[in-house]
Amino acid sequence: MPFGITCRIQVEYKNNKRLSIMTHLACALERVILKNELSYNAKRNPLDKLYFDTLKDANLIFKKALSLELSEDELYYMVDIIKEYQLTDTFNAYVTEIPKN
């Protein structure tokens, strides 16, 4: 994969959000090892295909390096986290750009 995840989905996260995503990822990998993965019960949105496909491609890294693979349910939780952070950052950027009287 020539570009990183942030390049493919065209978003850049602040360090605190990157750390949060990495922590969730570490916990997800632990759940795979313990065979106790999360079950994603929310409706899967077909508009999330870019996010899901990007994470699925990134998942190959864990499969090759660690012989571990995140389930689709875990990947959809990651999609939700990424989208939530993206919306929060967009909202915060908009709010900080509003002129103050």
Side-chain angles (χ1 to χ4, degrees):
M1 186 167 50
F3 300 104
I5 292 172
T6 56
C7 292
R8 258 181 93 177
I9 60 176
Q10 299 178 348
V11 67
E12 188 65 35
Y13 295 108
K14 296 176 185 170
N15 287 337
N16 63 330
K17 293 189 178 167
R18 285 183 186 185
L19 182 60
S20 179
I21 290 169
M22 287 187 275
T23 301
H24 178 81
L25 179 59
C27 292
L29 290 170
E30 180 183 33
R31 287 190 293 272
V32 170
I33 293 168
L34 297 174
K35 299 183 184 336
N36 190 23
E37 292 179 86
L38 297 176
S39 180
Y40 187 81
N41 296 319
K43 185 175 180 183
R44 296 178 181 189
N45 186 343
L47 297 176
D48 294 338
K49 184 170 175 39
L50 173 64
Y51 294 101
F52 181 79
D53 289 347
T54 300
L55 291 175
K56 194 170 183 180
D57 289 345
N59 197 19
L60 294 175
I61 295 168
F62 302 116
K63 188 174 183 178
K64 289 178 184 176
L66 304 172
S67 297
L68 297 174
E69 188 173 12
L70 297 174
S71 67
E72 285 191 4
D73 289 337
E74 290 282 2
L75 293 176
Y76 270 105
Y77 272 109
M78 295 291 293
V79 167
D80 284 351
I81 290 169
I82 289 170
K83 285 175 38 185
E84 177 185 335
Y85 287 152
Q86 190 172 5
L87 288 172
T88 302
D89 281 351
T90 302
F91 176 76
N92 289 340
Y94 173 77
V95 170
T96 56
E97 291 175 9
I98 295 174
K100 295 182 173 99
N101 293 336

